[in-house]
Amino acid sequence: MRVLFNRNPLRFGNKIVQPSEDVIKNTPQLWNASLEDALKYGGELTKSAIGAMNLKFDRKHIIVDTKIHMLVPGFYPAIPSWHTDGVPRGNDLRPDSKGNPDIHSQENMTYSRFHLLVTGQGCLTEFVTQPTILNVPNEPTTDLYKMVNEQINDKEDLSVTPVPSCTAVEWDWWNIHRGVRATEHEWRYLIRVTETDHMQPQSDLRKILRTQIQVYVPENFGW
């Protein structure tokens, strides 16, 4: 089945000043925090980043995630395949479910809205910027993003742009993007704020305060 992605353009918001290395590495990491908890426990950098975003407050929930990486060239701070965020999964159509992604259910649901801000220069998330029709599975399956990634990589006339550093970017769950390979030694801060009707923030502070983070590297990576 053919589906139209990138239905709405990216929207760019306000900028923040590039934070120092000390500020980034001492900023708490958050996982599925409520907006209230993010402002309470996330530190001054997170407050500044949220302040740069144009939140609409028109969904049931606002969820905040932050990640901090100490990167060297060759590290990937996220899975480097083309994908979308917030796809409904499983029988209950929750994005945080472990079920198969059901991209077709999005047609009849209120879309989730995302706000992103990434610091630094060496590892800025990339987005496909034009409306793009792709073939997707007819039924929910884990092959969805394998198919999306292969088709995007096969396109020769694709318009791709990295997000501007330290700038709020807004998109929805039809926008295709990917994490990229780091090209510099740097501390990197990323925040994603989700406005959604389809999942709730965490309430357990032991889970909200993220204490680990991973990177991905090629098998032949060396120091």
Side-chain angles (χ1 to χ4, degrees):
M1 184 177 295
R2 292 166 67 77
V3 169
L4 175 65
F5 290 84
N6 297 343
R7 301 180 182 190
N8 296 302
L10 302 178
R11 297 179 181 272
F12 298 96
N14 296 316
K15 293 177 65 71
I16 65 169
V17 175
Q18 168 66 34
S20 68
E21 177 180 303
D22 282 343
V23 167
I24 294 176
K25 69 182 182 180
N26 290 303
T27 294
Q29 297 185 103
L30 305 172
W31 177 69
N32 285 11
S34 67
L35 180 61
E36 179 182 5
D37 283 341
L39 294 173
K40 187 175 182 179
Y41 300 110
E44 292 303 315
L45 175 52
T46 293
K47 288 182 182 179
S48 296
I50 292 173
M53 297 171 177
N54 183 25
L55 301 181
K56 306 298 194 299
F57 299 95
D58 60 352
R59 298 293 189 262
K60 294 178 181 177
H61 307 290
I62 296 180
I63 298 170
V64 181
D65 295 283
T66 64
K67 295 182 179 181
I68 295 167
H69 286 92
M70 183 179 64
L71 296 177
V72 301
F75 281 13
Y76 292 87
I79 296 174
S81 298
W82 293 108
H83 63 280
T84 60
D85 281 2
V87 63
R89 294 176 178 270
N91 294 331
D92 54 0
L93 300 179
R94 288 175 55 91
D96 55 344
S97 165
K98 300 298 183 183
N100 289 338
D102 185 356
I103 195 80
H104 301 295
S105 67
Q106 294 183 181
E107 300 286 3
N108 301 309
M109 300 169 67
T110 57
Y111 66 86
S112 295
R113 182 186 302 112
F114 304 93
H115 306 264
L116 177 76
L117 187 144
V118 186
T119 65
Q121 296 293 336
C123 196
L124 297 170
T125 305
E126 290 183 338
F127 280 82
V128 177
T129 57
Q130 75 242 42
T132 304
I133 296 175
L134 302 177
N135 292 312
V136 300
N138 292 335
E139 301 294 334
T141 171
T142 54
D143 287 338
L144 170 64
Y145 288 116
K146 177 181 178 182
M147 291 179 63
V148 167
N149 186 61
E150 290 176 346
Q151 290 172 82
I152 292 295
N153 285 334
D154 286 342
K155 290 184 176 294
E156 297 180 354
D157 57 346
L158 200 65
S159 176
V160 174
T161 186
V163 297
S165 177
C166 296
T167 302
V169 182
E170 177 186 320
W171 81 97
D172 65 44
W173 61 7
W174 294 107
N175 290 94
I176 298 172
H177 58 284
R178 68 176 178 183
V180 299
R181 176 181 177 273
T183 59
E184 297 183 14
H185 291 82
E186 67 177 6
W187 282 85
R188 177 185 188 260
Y189 168 88
L190 177 146
I191 178 172
R192 186 188 68 176
V193 178
T194 305
E195 298 183 279
T196 184
D197 289 333
H198 310 301
M199 59 182 288
Q200 298 181 17
Q202 278 287 334
S203 58
D204 186 342
L205 196 58
R206 294 169 298 178
K207 296 180 180 180
I208 291 169
L209 295 175
R210 189 197 306 252
T211 56
Q212 300 89 24
I213 202 69
Q214 76 272 22
V215 296
Y216 305 84
V217 296
E219 288 186 21
N220 63 349
F221 184 85
W223 294 98

